[in-house]
Each structure stands twice: as structure tokens, then as C-alpha cells.
Amino acid sequence: MAIELKMPALSPTMEEGTLAKWLVKEGDSVASGDILAEIETDKATMEFEAVDEGTISKILIPEGTDNVKVGAVIALIAGEGEDASADQAAPAPAPAPAPEPEAAKPPTENVQIVPETPKRAQVSDPAIPEGTEMVPTTVREALRDAMAEEMRRDERVFVMGEEVAEYQGAYKVTQGLLEEFGARRVIDTPITEYGFAGIGAGAAMGGLRPVIEFMTFNFAMQAIDHIINSAAKTNYMSGGQMRCPVVFRGPNGAASRVGAQHSQNFGPWYASVPGLIVIAPYDSADAKGLLKAAIRTEDPVVFLENELVYGRTFDVPKLDDHVLPIGKARIMREGSDVTIVSYSIGVGVALEAAEKLAAEGVDAEVIDLRTLRPLDTETVLQSLKKTNRMVVVEEGWPVCSIASEICAVAMEQGFDDLDAPVLRVTNEDVPLPYAANLEKLALVDSARVIAAVKKVTYKG
Amino acid sequence: MALIHQRERFSVLVKTPAAKPVRKPPAKASSKAPVLPEEGSNHPRPRNPERYEASQEELLHFYKEMLLIRRFEERAGQLYGLGLIGGFCHLYIGQEAVAVGLQSALEPGKDSVITGYRDHGHMLAYGIDPKIIMAELTGRGAGISRGKGGSMHMFSTEHKFYGGHGIVGAQVPLGAGLAFGHKYSEDGGVCMAYFGDGAANQGQVYESFNMAALWKLPIIFVIENNGYAMGTKVSRSSAETEFYRRGDSFRIPGMQVNGMDVLEVRGAAEAALEYVRAGNGPLLMELKTYRYRGHSMSDPAKYRSREEVQNVKEKSDPIEAAKAELLKMGVSEDAMKAIDKEIRTIVSEAADFAETSPEPDPSELYTDVLVEQY
Ligand SMILES: Cc1ncc(C[n+]2csc(CCOP(=O)(O)OP(=O)(O)O)c2C)c(N)n1
Ligand SMILES: [Mg+2]
């Protein structure tokens, strides 16, 4: 069988080219590495080398031909022992037909059927057995307890970051860990976020379970390349072979009066990246249960805490192993008139607004997303079905936000349930100012949530 | 103490007895003989700095500036305690001689300065009005950033003081960029980029070193080594704790300077500036200094002993040292007291101004996001 020589693609974007010159003629014998032809692309003239040995039995495209499509057969080579002349009698195959112009077809036929993201069965929080003792715990302690429990359970878990060991954590979240687990597993780093985020990702690839603390997520911008290019994409790029089960955690969002460079919510940034899990809990029980889940999962996790919430106290069930499902929202308050969706510190704002609204006779349902990626759209849409009105509260900028994403979900999947447009209540669209009065003006508060709720319930 | 010294370049490279540079790699890759840099390279070096010989008037001036920083910072600490200053507030107490000694050698308006968040002292050393600095700390409309930046984010383009940056290490490439500008526009200026011992470990610092040396940028990299980065002592964060050596791989000469003596600092600054202004490219200065207060106002500072701090205060305080020298020069106790009073008045006025001037107008929330309108 003769070997077909096809018009090569000489650049990633080349679709066709000019067969400028043949350097061989029919009947010539060629060996691999011989230059057969010169081909011009839009960018350069390239030499086309033989890969196979044999005799040129037929040249199908004469030199000087323009617009030869990539993949068109340009010549035939007869292998050893084959009759090179036999091909000459065969009718010259036409160059491969160019695909029909797309516009010629009705557009629907061209739509590729993309398989849907596989969905797992509905999961819910494990039931808390009746009579379980509830222990008032600060979010700070809950996070520490989660790390300590996982470190006791799994020798591969270690904690690394700036001031996490001897200083006990810049915000005291790692308090006591050095004492219990020692310097091998609780490691102070220099101020080198890019470096230690990479070390964390690499250690995870190699089989460990790093918990990498950023003093705040503002400083993770130094390291974002490793979070996204190294951690988030590895599993996919390796076809599922190489995992990166690392947790990047630390406070996110505005603190108090620390100015523009230290006050930003990165939730929407990370939540836009396939391959990452993004968790942003509000209360102590969720902080604990979800951090434990984050440490256990095989996927890379960005775990967003909030400095202003660290000191708040909430009940945590006293259980041996309180682990919560990732990707599941939580209904914090049931209601029938309007759904208020939020996450992290925004949940507190939403709950405060709901209380005030209740006094005015508006019954608000409050949903804590808890996980920002994957987003629990089902819980959100079910609530929308019930209330038909929705407000999203987010301590962050409005543009390209989680709130924007919820709006899109409501529009695409809950349009028929909407009695009013979904409204976003977010920070003002400015870098966070330092001055006390301006900072207050820039941040979300319950008054703004109430105003939005009144708008969507047509009461304002 | 011999407080300023300069080390031999490349002295960290071990010279083996077979010190002949290996030209061709041997056929077998088993030889471990190091390839040494060429001897006697004609890369220029800064001259050995000498302690500055200040006139009484000059030293009085340095003393006043240092005292102003000290009293200003003490007052800022008080205002923080009263809730008038919020967020992070990093005091410069103990490090005064560094900014004063170095910046007194610069030409404001020609040379540029950039630093991190511990920036109050550098601004005061540049003669920027304490009122508008303090008003920025209290977040008032009259502040130098109109109350929108706060303690960590203050700038004065008029003085070519480029901030005031909150992200550790970011000021280093920014400083190299300012130096690039000086060279590009041939304005004769030099950039002085300050950063801490902790910041010195950030990767972008070394990327900047390489480009600055490669392109011979007129920049002085100033490492203010105050011994700690928050709660981390240099020995716990740094494989090479002699920070003046950190430029070796880039052939950037380094000097180590006693940052607690304003005249040593000033003398070193002159040698450094001479070298950089001559077009030789960057130079690295390590200023050995000490911060008396916590990292920021919220730092309990449990990582060091009270004695350690007390010891530095008693033995190496830059202001006390300058005072003693002035008295020796014949300045009277009364004159010193008068200076003290003068400074206290300036600081009190700044604090009053910062407390009483109004917060920014709410309309300021949306100004300055972008320059132009679209
Ligand atoms: C990229 C980044 N990481 C962490 C921080 C938090 N942080 C602020 S100052 C500081 C210590 C810096 O120490 P050093 O460079 O020695 O300067 P000093 O405070 O001693 O003047 C840290 C860790 C930050 N602002 N930016
Ligand atoms: Mg330091």
C-alpha cells in the first residue's frame, strides 16, 4: 500500500498553505530526513521532510499550488518492494474536500453536545444525634480544633505559614498547635508566599496533606499562580493521575480600617476557577466541619475565613468527628416572603436584616452558601420556588461577584419562579477607603439589605 | 565598634588549592572543581564610607528630625489607644537614625524614595508637614491621602516620596521602576528603596536585584534590619542573615552600617550615592537597627525579652547618642530643652489638627477610583 503524504500543518494556526516547490520528482527514492518540498505558510517558508523510506510514486499537487488545505494528500510514496509505477495508473485522488462553510448549515446542527458535569446524589449534613451537647465555641477555636483533630487523625497533615508556630498565628488561629504537634508539623515560613504556596502544592502532589495558611488572602495574590496553575489544574492536566490535596486557608475580605491593600474578598476570583473547591463558612460549626472536610478531600481547597468573625461565638456539636459535606448550602432561617442568599460575614448581615424584617412582618429565608464552588444551586432554586423573590448579600465588590453568579443562575434556571429581579447588595464599587466614615459607607449593612428586600417585595 | 564595613565581593566563594579556573569541562563529569569568577574583575566598588563629620548646626538638625519622629510616633501610639487611629499602625521608634541619616543625603524633588507600611518616619525626614501625616493617620479629609490611604498608604509626589506600600516586598521592584525612570529620563536622580529584613526574603526582591544590576539602574536598596519580621527573628527566617551579602549573586556590592548612629548612616549614604550617581548601578545597604515597639499596635511582642529591648534603648539609642554628642560640642542643656519643647509643640499641634479636622466628605467615596471619565 502506498503511503500518503499529506499537507502538513506547520504552525498551530495554519489551515492551508502554498506548495512552493518540490525538491523530489516521481521515481526518486527518499529516506527519512530528506527534504521533499518547500511549503509556505502565512508566516514563513518551511521545509517538509520525509519520515518514511521509499520511492515517490506520484506527485498529486504540483508546485506553485496555493491554498492547499492541511491534510490534503500531496504525493504518494511506494514502500520497499512495492511497484512504484502501479500508482501512476491510479486516478489521482482529489485533495481532501474543504469542510463546508459553517454558515451553510442551520446553526442548531452545529451545536456540539457537551456532556453535563456529573452530579452526585443529593447529600445533606449528617444528622446530629438527639441530646448531643452543644459547646459555645469561637470560630477561631473551631478552626484550630478542626486542624488539630485532622492532625491527630492523619500523620500526613501539617500546617505551614507565616507566624503559625511560635507566634501562635497572626490571628491566633493556630494557637497551641506547635505545642501539641511540634516543629516538624507546624512550620513557620519566611515572608515568601509564592515560595511556600508552591512548596505546599508540591508536597501535596507528593502525597502529603498540607494546610497552608496565608496571614491574609491579600498576600495570597503573591502566590496565586501556584493556587491556580499548579494546584487547580494538575488533576485535569494529568488525566486524573496526579492530585494536589492542599488546603490554602486564611482570613479574607475586609477587616477593620486596614485600607485598600488589606481589604478584599477573593471569593469570586477563586470561585471562577474549575479544579478548585472554594469554601467560605460563617459560623463555628460550619467552620469546623468544613475545614475537616477540606483537609480530607482529594481536591485543592481555598478556604476563606473572615477576621471579623474569628471572635464570634456559636454552638458546635460535641461529636467525635464533625465533618460536613462540601458543596451544600445551609438554610439558616426559614421564611416564605423572600430569599436572602449570602456567605461568610454576609450571613450575619443577612440574619440581622431578617430579624428586623420580621418585626415589620416580612418573613425572610436566609441561605448560607458555605461553599462557593461547587455552588449549591439546588438549594437556592428551591427556596426561590417558594419565595419568588431573592436578594444576594455579599461583602465584596458587585462586578463579576458571587451575587452576579446567583443572578445568572436564577435567570437561567429559575426564571419562571421570579416575581421580581434578583438584587445584589454588595460593597460599593471602590477600593476600600481608610477613613472611618467612608469605610462604613463602602461596606454592606443590614439597612441596605432591608431596602433591597422591600424593593423586591414591592414594599419599599 | 567598627560599625561600618564593606566586605570583599565574592568572598563567599571558596577558593580551593587548585584555584586555576577550569576552562574546559573535563571529559568525565566527575570533577568537582569549581569554576571561579575571573580574578581582578574591574567591576567598580564603592569607597569605604566614613562617619560623617557634621557641624554643630547639622547635627542639631538631625537631632531635631529624629526627635520629631520619636515624639510624633509616641503621640500616634497614644491616639491609637484612644481609638482615633484604626487598623494597622507601625511605629518607627528606634529606627529614626536610618531615615534621617540617609534622606539628609538625598536631594528631595530629584531623588526618589519608596518604602513599606512603616512609613511615617521617612515622610517626616523629608520635611513633610506632620499635620497632614497625622491627619491621614486619623482618617481625615485634610490627610495627605485625603483620609483614604491611612497609615500604610501615604505619598507625596511633590517630594518624590512614592509611598507607603502594604504588601511586603512590593516596594522593591517599584523602586527599581522609579530608578529605571531616572535612568531613562537622565534626570540624575537616584531611588532609595527601603525594605525590611523580612521583606528581603520575597522572591520579587531578587528579580529586581538582577534587573537593576543588569541594567545598571541608579538605586540604593536599603534593608532596614531591625532584627524581626513581626514575631520572627531573622535567624528563624533567613539562611543568610548578613543581609548586605544578599546582592552577591548579582554583583551588587553591599555595605553594613550601624543604623543607630545618624552620622555613620549619613557617611555611608554619601559613599553609596557617589557610587550610584557615577553610573555604576545598584548598591545594597544593610542598616542594623532595632524597633522598640511591637510590630504594629496589636503585637504583644512576646517573642523577645524586655531586657533585650531595654538593653538597646540604654546602650544604642540614636537620639540619646546624638544628644550626648551635641552636649559635648558645647550645646547647652537649656538649648536642648528648648528644642524638646519646640518639638512637643509641633507634635501637639499636629495631633490637635488630626483630631479636630473633619472626616472626608462622603462624596469622596467614589472619587479617585479612576483618573478619567468614560
Ligand atoms: C506579602 C505580604 N505578606 C505578609 C504581610 C504581613 N506583614 C506585614 S509586615 C510583616 C513583617 C515584615 O517584616 P520586615 O520586612 O522585617 O519589616 P519591619 O516590619 O520589621 O519593618 C508581615 C508579615 C504583608 N503585608 N504582605
Ligand atoms: Mg524587620
Side-chain angles (χ1 to χ4, degrees), chain A residues 163 167 192-193 261 428 434 437, chain B residues 137 166 201-202 231 299 360 366:
Chain A
E163 309 286 0
Y167 199 80
T192 49
E193 289 84 4
Q261 290 186 330
E428 294 302 310
Y434 167 73
N437 65 329
Chain B
L137 303 194
N201 292 320
Q202 285 283 33
D299 173 17
Y366 270 93

Side-chain angles (χ1 to χ4, degrees), chain A residues 163 166-167 171 188 190-193 215 219 222 256-258 261-262 428-431 433-438 441-442, chain B residues 86-88 136-137 139 147-148 150 152-153 166-167 201-202 204 229-232 236-237 299-300 359-360 362 365-366:
Chain A
E163 309 286 0
E166 295 198 7
Y167 199 80
Y171 297 101
D188 278 327
I191 311 169
T192 49
E193 289 84 4
M215 193 175 283
F219 315 140
Q222 305 284 317
S256 174
R257 306 282 311 279
V258 292
Q261 290 186 330
H262 284 68
E428 294 302 310
D429 196 13
V430 297
Y434 167 73
N437 65 329
L438 297 185
L441 280 175
Chain B
F88 293 133
E136 188 58 38
L137 303 194
K148 290 156 91 166
M152 296 188 285
H153 310 299
I167 301 303
N201 292 320
Q202 285 283 33
Q204 55 180 319
M230 281 186 76
T232 306
R236 294 205 302 117
S237 67
D299 173 17
E359 288 189 312
L365 185 59
Y366 270 93

Side-chain angles (χ1 to χ4, degrees), chain B residues 88-345:
Chain B
F88 293 133
C89 184
H90 309 87
L91 303 181
Y92 199 58
I93 296 178
Q95 302 180 215
E96 297 91 344
V98 176
V100 170
L102 290 179
Q103 271 162 248
S104 65
L106 296 181
E107 283 184 49
K110 175 180 167 188
D111 299 316
S112 54
V113 172
I114 190 164
T115 185
Y117 43 83
R118 197 180 298 284
D119 56 353
H120 314 164
H122 305 84
M123 306 188 74
L124 292 167
Y126 242 3
I128 299 171
D129 183 359
K131 282 195 178 116
I132 59 173
I133 303 175
M134 197 69 98
E136 188 58 38
L137 303 194
T138 55
R140 304 307 165 101
I144 195 161
S145 301
R146 298 175 189 235
K148 290 156 91 166
S151 159
M152 296 188 285
H153 310 299
M154 297 194 281
F155 314 82
S156 171
T157 50
E158 181 196 336
H159 293 83
K160 289 198 189 292
F161 176 79
Y162 290 92
H165 297 268
I167 301 303
V168 167
Q171 70 269 36
V172 181
L174 296 175
L178 292 166
F180 184 91
H182 288 307
K183 184 167 187 192
Y184 191 89
S185 48
E186 298 177 1
D187 62 10
V190 168
C191 176
M192 193 163 265
Y194 293 88
F195 53 105
D197 47 279
N201 292 320
Q202 285 283 33
Q204 55 180 319
V205 169
Y206 298 91
E207 299 180 21
S208 309
F209 281 6
N210 184 43
M211 285 183 276
L214 188 65
W215 299 329
K216 286 199 170 23
L217 300 182
I219 182 165
I220 300 176
F221 295 109
V222 179
I223 301 184
E224 291 195 71
N225 178 3
N226 59 12
Y228 294 88
M230 281 186 76
T232 306
K233 211 183 172 84
V234 292
S235 56
R236 294 205 302 117
S237 67
S238 297
E240 172 58 276
T241 54
E242 301 289 336
F243 287 93
Y244 67 94
R245 293 183 176 171
R246 293 284 186 107
D248 277 4
S249 306
F250 309 94
R251 303 179 178 233
I252 300 176
M255 293 181 186
Q256 195 177 51
V257 184
N258 173 12
M260 303 303 270
D261 178 343
V262 71
L263 298 183
E264 297 270 16
V265 176
R266 170 62 188 259
E270 300 216 333
L273 279 164
E274 219 175 270
Y275 173 86
V276 176
R277 283 208 209 281
N280 294 311
L283 185 132
L284 177 59
M285 297 176 92
E286 177 192 1
L287 280 293
K288 298 275 260 182
T289 181
Y290 198 78
R291 94 172 131 65
Y292 293 3
R293 297 294 188 92
H295 166 73
S296 68
M297 298 305 297
S298 50
D299 173 17
K302 286 195 194 134
Y303 43 81
R304 60 184 186 188
S305 68
R306 212 175 266 261
E307 293 76 61
E308 177 184 311
V309 183
Q310 206 48 41
N311 197 35
V312 180
K313 280 186 187 171
E314 276 165 20
K315 297 203 180 120
S316 336
D317 186 74
I319 297 178
E320 285 306 318
K323 186 177 179 180
E325 202 153 341
L326 282 166
L327 291 173
K328 229 188 269 167
M329 278 175 158
V331 180
S332 70
E333 288 276 2
D334 282 352
M336 299 302 285
K337 276 194 186 126
I339 290 170
D340 206 48
K341 209 171 150 213
E342 180 195 339
I343 299 292
R344 280 183 199 280
T345 310

Side-chain angles (χ1 to χ4, degrees), chain A residues 80-132:
Chain A
E80 224 179 306
E82 283 183 50
D83 182 2
S85 61
D87 285 324
Q88 291 178 6
E100 275 178 51
E102 310 226 326
K105 290 185 195 162
T108 47
E109 282 182 31
N110 259 340
V111 173
Q112 292 256 341
I113 304 300
V114 178
E116 274 189 51
T117 327
K119 286 217 169 67
R120 66 168 173 174
Q122 264 297 315
V123 287
S124 42
D125 290 17
I128 293 169
E130 198 141 345
T132 302

